[in-house]
Structures are given as C-alpha cells and as structure tokens.
C-alpha cells in the first residue's frame, strides 16, 4: 500500500504489510549507514532516511542491527550535531528501555527547533506549523472509505478552527516551516510506533498540547510577578489572555475525539510506558497556578515528573501571591475583584477540560489501565475535583 503525506512537512513513504520479523533496512539507508561507519556525514539526510523506515514499519518494529548502528552513530557523533542526537534519542527510546512521553513526542528535538534563533519561532508560531502539518496529513480524503472520509472531514473542520484560534492570519493559507536548517528538522518530529494512520495526528495533538501549557505557564508567571509588584490590573490582563489560550486545549480534545476506539487501540498496543502523566508542561502549569495538595504532590501525578517536583519546592504561584497581597492589605477594590473573577474562569475552564478528558478516556479506554500505569479511568475520576488555585495552607 502506498501512502503519501503531501503536506509542508512531508516525507514520501510506502507502507509494507506488517509481519512479525523485523523489516529489512531500506537500501538507501544501508548505504548511508556504511558512509557513517567511515566518517560523519549529513545528519539531516540520515534522519530523513530513518524517518521513512520508521513511518513505513512503525518504530517498534525496527530491527536490532539497525538500532545498534544508530546508537553507535549517536555515541560517536552526537556531540557534533545536537539535532541528530535529539532525533536519535527518540528513535532509540524503546531499544534503550527509556520509552516515555518526552521521547514518544520527540520533545527534545522540538525544543531545539523552538530555541533556534534564526528560525524565529515561538510557541504560537510552532503550534500553527504543527496544526498545518496535521491538516496536510488528514487532507487526502479522496480514496478513503466513505465512513473514514466523513471522519477525516470532521477532523479537518476542527483542526481548521484550531488554526484560526492559534493564528487567524493563516486561515486558508497554512504556514510553511522557516527556510532554516532547524526548520528542515520539523518534518522529522513525528516518529510513530505503528503504521496506523491516526497515530500521526494524535502525536501532533499531544505536541500542540505541550505548547498550549507552555504558553499558559508563561501567562500565569507574568500574572504572579505583576501581583508581587502590586500591578493587579496587569495581572488581570495576563490571566484573561491565558483563558483565551485555554480554549485551544478544548479544541484539541474535539480533534482527538474524532478517532475511533479501534484505531486508538491499534497503536496503543505499542505505547505502554509513555503517558501525558509525564508531561512536565502540564505540571508546570499546575504549580504556576497554585500549590497542589500534599496528597497530589505525593501521588503518581508528581512522582512522574521529578524535575517539576523539585521546582514546586522553590517556585511562586499566582494563588500564593494573591493570598499574600490580601493578607498584607496591599490591594483591594475593583482590580482584585476582577482578578478573582478571571482566576475563577480559568478554574472553570480547567474543570471542563478535565471532565472532557475523563469522558474521552471512558470512551477510548473503558476498563483498561493507563499507559502511565495508573488504574486509568478511576485515576482520572479521582482527579476531577482537584482545584488549581489553592494557596499553601
Ligand atoms: C485517547 C485519548 C486519551 C486517553 C484514553 C487518555 C487517558 C489518560 C489516562 C488513563 C491518564 C492517567 C495516566 C496514565 O495512566 O496514563 C491520562 C493522563 C493525562 N492525559 Fe490523557 N488521555 C487521552 C488523551 C489526552 C489528550 C488529547 C491530552 C491533551 C490534550 C491528554 C492529557 C493528559 C494529561 C495532561 C494527563 C495527566 C493528568 C494528571 O496528571 O492528573 N490526554 N490520560
């Protein structure tokens, strides 16, 4: 079966029917590995060939000899090419027994692209590029089964709404990656474990979700600093902006909800160990809002993100800054009332987010445990009542 991903971040591949044996390595990739065994060569070219191999067979089916050769290249030459090293970090995660959300979503590589100055990206622009790529991947509706075509059209409609929310200027004219070396790596940030069509858009949604929570955290930290400086009116503006960004998280769920449970289970067989419970971006957002209760800090929600757990011990939060201001009698009146009202709206939006997530998990997961090794739906149900903006008691 031939599959062409014709979008701005495309690589062209043909998919073999699955067998139990590891697939043979593509001859062009074999030649490239031979070249690298003599001397370091073009990292981007190697990564493109590896991506074709991954998308043709699924990451979980790559053979050990290929993975061992790639690990050797990473160990010998990774220091000289940080993009290649980050890329291989994701390709080799399962092989090296460290498959996690970060590597499944290729977050180290996306982080390097985002940080590249010459590309001039920020989380908003990068989100727009990822949505544009998702649209390109879904767009070839012709030739699909009638039911599948309806699903794709619906998915495209929701993704178009998301693009309009992220970058209204690009509606009808999806953005292209920057013409920089870092921009060229963007096409290589989807490394599915399977050959199931839907895994591609699911990965893009989870990556965009990380960026949404990165933006939200920045907004809440700005609001906290403003409160500490007694600029409560500025804090209101920051929280209001954050609330509009929250809307994107709800749109992401609408896109994911177009997936049928059978498609989800088809690739989920290979994702055990990677879960959004390991998302540092989401937990940073949580601790930027308030001080999580002791039970939550002691639970798997935070034991899965040790870096953020350490930050929680030293960082500030908007709830704490606002409580301090109130206690010191430093501000009162309309600005503080408006801040309280805006914060409550974010709290409500987050509660709605959690409820939608729980509903989605009930439909997709049923009684199965979570890929992050929680009980699954019972874990999510127990979290439904958690509030964000609670100051330390
Ligand atoms: C098929 C769809 C989905 C299912 C079945 C699902 C299921 C789950 C489950 C069972 C957990 C608990 C941790 C675990 O054991 O893995 C979890 C956590 C989480 N999921 Fe999802 N999820 C889905 C989609 C999404 C999407 C699209 C997002 C983001 C847009 C998301 C964000 C999160 C976050 C942030 C957590 C951590 C929550 C916490 O720590 O309290 N999930 N998910």
């Amino acid at each position: 079966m031939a599959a062409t991903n014709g979008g701005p971040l495309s690589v062209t591949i043909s998919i073999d029917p699955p067998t139990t044996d590891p697939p043979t390595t593509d001859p062009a990739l074999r030649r490239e590995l031979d070249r690298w065994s003599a001397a370091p060569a073009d990292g981007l070219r190697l990564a493109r060939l590896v991506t074709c191999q991954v998308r043709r067979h699924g990451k979980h089916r790559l053979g050990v000899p290929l993975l061992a050769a790639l690990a050797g290249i990473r160990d010998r030459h990774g220091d000289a090419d940080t993009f290649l090293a980050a890329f291989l970090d994701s390709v080799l995660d399962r092989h090296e027994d460290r498959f996690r959300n970060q590597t499944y979503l290729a977050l180290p590589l996306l982080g390097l692209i985002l940080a590249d100055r010459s590309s001039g990206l920020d989380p908003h622009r990068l989100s727009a590029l990822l949505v544009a790529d998702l649209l390109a991947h879904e767009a070839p509706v012709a030739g699909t089964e009638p039911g599948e075509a309806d699903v794709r059209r619906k998915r495209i409609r929701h993704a178009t709404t998301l693009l309009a929310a992220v970058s209204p200027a690009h509606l009808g004219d999806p953005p292209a990656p920057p013409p920089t070396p870092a921009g060229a790596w963007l096409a290589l940030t989807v490394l599915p474990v399977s050959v199931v069509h839907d895994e591609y858009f699911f990965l893009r949604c989870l990556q965009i979700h990380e960026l949404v929570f990165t933006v939200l955290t920045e907004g809440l930290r700005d609001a906290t600093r403003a409160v500490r400086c007694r600029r409560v009116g500025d804090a209101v503006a920051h929280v209001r902006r954050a609330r509009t960004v929250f809307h994107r998280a709800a749109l992401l769920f609408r896109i994911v909800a177009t997936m049928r449970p059978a498609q989800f289970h088809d690739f989920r067989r290979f994702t055990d160990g990677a879960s959004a419970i390991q998302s540092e971006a989401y937990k940073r957002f949580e601790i930027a809002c308030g001080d999580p209760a002791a039970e939550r800090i002691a639970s798997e929600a935070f034991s899965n993100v040790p870096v953020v757990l350490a930050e929680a011990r030293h960082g500030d939060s908007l709830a704490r800054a606002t409580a301090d201001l109130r206690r010191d009698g430093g501000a009162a009146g309309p600005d503080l009332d408006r801040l309280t009202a805006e914060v409550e709206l974010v709290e409500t939006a987050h509660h709605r987010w959690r409820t939608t997530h729980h509903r989605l998990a009930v439909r997709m997961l049923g009684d199965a445990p979570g890929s992050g090794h929680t009980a699954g739906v019972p874990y999510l149900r127990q979290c439904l009542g958690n509030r964000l903006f609670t100051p330390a008691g």
Side-chain angles (χ1 to χ4, degrees), residues 202 206 209 253 256 264 275-277 282-283 296 301 353-354 357 360-361 364-365 370-374 376 379-380 383:
F202 183 71
L206 292 177
H209 166 260
F253 278 145
V256 173
F264 176 59
S275 161
I277 203 167
Y282 178 71
K283 293 295 164 17
R296 176 130 177 107
W353 180 90
R354 272 197 180 283
H357 179 236
L360 186 69
M364 297 283 186
L365 209 56
S371 53
H373 305 145
T374 71
Y379 167 82
L380 297 176
C383 295

Side-chain angles (χ1 to χ4, degrees), residues 29-294:
L29 176 53
R30 267 206 312 269
R31 282 196 297 279
E32 194 61 20
L33 293 173
D34 287 346
R35 195 173 295 154
W36 277 82
S37 67
D42 181 347
L44 185 59
R45 185 180 149 72
L46 173 66
R48 280 190 174 129
L49 290 167
V50 173
T51 302
C52 284
Q53 183 85 7
V54 167
R55 295 206 191 145
R56 191 178 298 136
H57 305 286
K59 190 165 75 172
H60 81 289
R61 290 196 60 235
L62 298 186
V64 171
L66 170 60
L67 293 165
L70 293 174
I73 291 174
R74 192 259 332 262
D75 295 346
R76 288 194 304 280
H77 308 296
D79 288 349
D81 187 339
T82 48
F83 285 89
L84 179 64
F87 171 82
L88 291 177
D89 199 42
S90 288
V91 173
L92 293 164
D93 54 4
R94 180 72 85 190
H95 176 62
E96 296 178 341
D97 207 14
R98 47 174 185 75
F99 179 67
R100 286 178 60 81
N101 195 52
Q102 274 84 345
T103 52
Y104 179 44
L105 304 186
L107 297 183
L109 182 54
L110 274 174
L112 287 178
I113 296 167
L114 183 59
D116 178 61
R117 280 166 164 263
S118 64
S119 298
L121 293 173
D122 60 24
H124 298 281
R125 293 192 56 206
L126 183 56
S127 298
L129 288 171
L130 300 184
V131 183
D133 183 53
L134 186 164
L135 280 165
H137 186 254
E138 294 300 316
V141 173
T144 56
E145 308 263 312
E148 175 67 13
D150 289 346
V151 168
R152 295 257 191 113
R153 281 196 201 93
K154 192 170 179 185
R155 196 171 288 159
I156 289 168
R157 212 172 47 246
H158 290 321
T160 306
T161 308
L162 177 60
L163 183 59
V166 175
S167 178
H170 284 112
L171 196 57
D173 179 23
T180 56
W185 282 90
L186 204 50
L188 313 181
T189 51
V190 174
L191 296 165
V193 291
S194 75
V195 292
V196 179
H197 171 91
D198 284 8
E199 192 190 353
Y200 191 105
F201 96 87
F202 183 71
L203 278 165
R204 282 297 187 219
C205 282
L206 292 177
Q207 291 169 339
I208 299 163
H209 166 260
E210 292 289 305
L211 294 169
V212 166
F213 281 97
T214 302
V215 171
L216 285 171
T217 302
E218 281 168 12
L220 284 153
R221 285 180 181 165
D222 287 344
T224 304
R225 278 190 287 273
V227 169
R228 290 286 180 208
C229 300
R230 303 192 172 207
R231 289 185 282 101
V232 182
D234 289 350
V236 173
H238 288 305
V239 178
R240 187 172 296 148
R241 265 197 299 278
R243 182 161 56 80
T244 58
V245 171
F246 217 113
H247 179 55
R248 295 179 199 171
L251 292 175
L252 281 170
F253 278 145
R254 266 191 228 164
I255 302 174
V256 173
T258 61
M259 186 164 50
R260 283 166 291 189
Q263 310 288 306
F264 176 59
H265 284 281
D266 226 7
F267 65 83
R268 190 178 184 272
R269 291 178 290 151
F270 310 117
T271 62
D272 190 50
S275 161
I277 203 167
Q278 298 150 357
S279 165
E280 293 183 355
Y282 178 71
K283 293 295 164 17
R284 280 204 177 96
F285 160 71
E286 211 175 317
I287 63 170
C289 293
D291 302 299

Side-chain angles (χ1 to χ4, degrees), residues 297-310:
I297 286 282
S299 76
E300 57 262 74
F302 275 88
S303 63
N304 269 293
V305 287
V307 174
V308 185
L309 187 58

